[in-house]
Amino acid sequence: MILTVLIILGIVIGIVVLIICVSLLMAAILTTGNRRSLKEGFERQKSRYDTRYYEVLEKKSYVIEGYNGYEIHVQFMKNTEPTDKYMILTHGYMDNRFGTLKYAWIYLELGFNCIIYDIRGHGLNKRTYTTYGVYESLDLCALIDDTLQRYPDLKVLGAHGESLGASSSITALKYKPKIDFVVEDCGFACIESVFREYSHAPQFLISLGDLGMRLRYRLSYRKMRPIDALPGNKVPILFMHGGDDTLIRPHHAEEMYEVTEGPKEIHIIPGGTHAHSVLGAREDYKKYVEQFLKDIGIIHV
């Protein structure tokens, strides 16, 4: 009898240990993907469009303190014409600051200085796990505060984000940062939905990933929901999303568009795949941004 109980207890303990190990492995897979170096990131952008505009700009690099003392590497790109308008651009998962160059030209042409940076765990920053907007949004808030203090001539400040950068920009809104508008491109409303829609892994592994995040990082999918920052939000938001995006599907933008309460506009770009809308519809993309900024009174050209 005692032997039977011990065998059953051993089996149960073994199953529990296996579940914990698999959940921790899933959490690691979901939060520590390969990241491009700055050189790889720039060469990738250079192979897809003309980056010469960036190479001739006056630039300044510096480091700020993000959430919980984490150091964030930043680069300021000065407009060739004097301006009091500034734009912070946030890249996506596994990319780096150079991933935002495909958008920066728009804001430079519309009369903004541009600030690009590496999100935590990426680029020149110390390697760490990704929190899908939880800590990244707090880093962005720190950068917003730093920008407001660093550039006393600033009169207008906007934020543009792509994918994880877009979701981080939306999540940041719950902290009421002093920004005038957000352009959100292909971000997720809820990361769990992305994992379940895109992953070919069994659904129970996705659930174990949530358990692993709770055990390993004291985080969970329920905290990784940018859409929860939008009830009551009054900051103007332009939502952009590729119609053929199969990684983060267009319904994420549509759901967030419905929830936010400030001035808003949405464009689903026909044929656009994930984070490629601006490459396939360059002039239309600029037109949408320009018209939105006119509509909310940011520019008057």
Side-chain angles (χ1 to χ4, degrees), residues 19-262:
I19 289 173
I20 291 174
C21 289
V22 173
S23 69
L24 292 174
L25 176 61
M26 280 301 299
I29 291 172
L30 294 172
T31 61
T32 57
N34 291 330
R35 285 87 190 269
R36 297 186 187 99
S37 68
L38 287 189
K39 181 179 179 180
E40 291 169 337
F42 187 75
E43 289 302 318
R44 184 168 186 263
Q45 302 308 315
K46 190 175 180 180
S47 70
R48 299 153 86 193
Y49 56 88
D50 190 352
T51 58
R52 284 176 294 179
Y53 82 87
Y54 167 79
E55 297 171 43
V56 300
L57 285 173
E58 181 180 339
K59 298 179 282 288
K60 180 180 179 180
S61 297
Y62 50 95
V63 177
I64 71 155
E65 184 176 299
Y67 172 66
N68 205 25
Y70 184 83
E71 291 188 343
I72 301 291
H73 287 256
V74 183
Q75 187 173 73
F76 169 74
M77 301 189 298
K78 187 176 182 179
N79 201 300
T80 55
E81 299 293 331
T83 178
D84 56 11
K85 294 191 285 290
Y86 289 72
M87 197 73 193
I88 295 174
L89 298 100
T90 309
H91 66 83
Y93 185 44
M94 296 192 291
D95 208 344
N96 56 56
R97 67 182 75 169
F98 292 133
T100 62
L101 294 185
K102 58 181 175 286
Y103 308 104
W105 68 271
I106 295 174
Y107 298 105
L108 290 165
E109 289 189 4
L110 294 178
F112 288 78
N113 295 310
C114 289
I115 296 169
I116 60 177
Y117 70 105
D118 300 320
I119 63 175
R120 63 173 46 225
H122 295 69
L124 294 179
N125 298 333
K126 181 180 178 180
R127 286 291 178 265
T128 188
Y129 56 93
T130 295
T131 67
Y132 292 100
V134 180
Y135 297 161
E136 291 82 1
S137 64
L138 292 166
D139 292 333
L140 176 56
C141 286
L143 179 55
I144 289 169
D145 290 342
D146 177 87
T147 301
L148 291 168
Q149 296 174 20
R150 189 179 294 268
Y151 304 106
D153 65 318
L154 184 154
K155 296 291 177 59
V156 174
L157 180 59
H160 180 120
E162 174 190 275
S163 193
L164 172 57
S167 296
S168 300
S169 300
I170 295 298
T171 302
L173 293 176
K174 72 179 179 180
Y175 302 109
K176 310 301 181 186
K178 294 179 180 180
I179 55 174
D180 297 290
F181 65 93
V182 172
V183 178
E184 191 272 4
D185 189 312
C186 67
F188 55 85
C190 166
I191 194 60
E192 182 176 8
S193 174
V194 176
F195 291 156
R196 294 193 183 280
E197 290 171 347
Y198 182 77
S199 177
H200 300 296
Q203 292 296 300
F204 78 90
L205 287 179
I206 304 301
S207 297
L208 286 180
D210 185 44
L211 173 62
M213 287 187 184
R214 291 170 185 265
L215 293 173
R216 189 168 187 147
Y217 308 124
R218 302 296 186 266
L219 295 171
S220 69
Y221 295 158
R222 64 182 175 81
K223 293 184 178 181
M224 302 170 181
R225 290 177 48 86
I227 194 170
D228 291 344
L230 293 177
N233 171 65
K234 301 300 182 183
V235 176
I237 305 175
L238 171 61
F239 295 93
M240 308 282 271
H241 214 106
D244 290 349
D245 190 339
T246 56
L247 175 58
I248 300 176
R249 299 180 185 178
H251 72 80
H252 287 268
E254 294 165 343
E255 290 168 8
M256 290 190 286
Y257 173 82
E258 291 299 324
V259 173
T260 189
E261 298 177 26

Side-chain angles (χ1 to χ4, degrees), residues 2-20:
I2 295 177
L3 180 60
T4 301
V5 171
L6 290 175
I7 291 173
I8 294 173
L9 182 60
I11 292 173
V12 170
I13 292 174
I15 292 173
V16 170
V17 170
L18 178 61
I19 289 173
I20 291 174

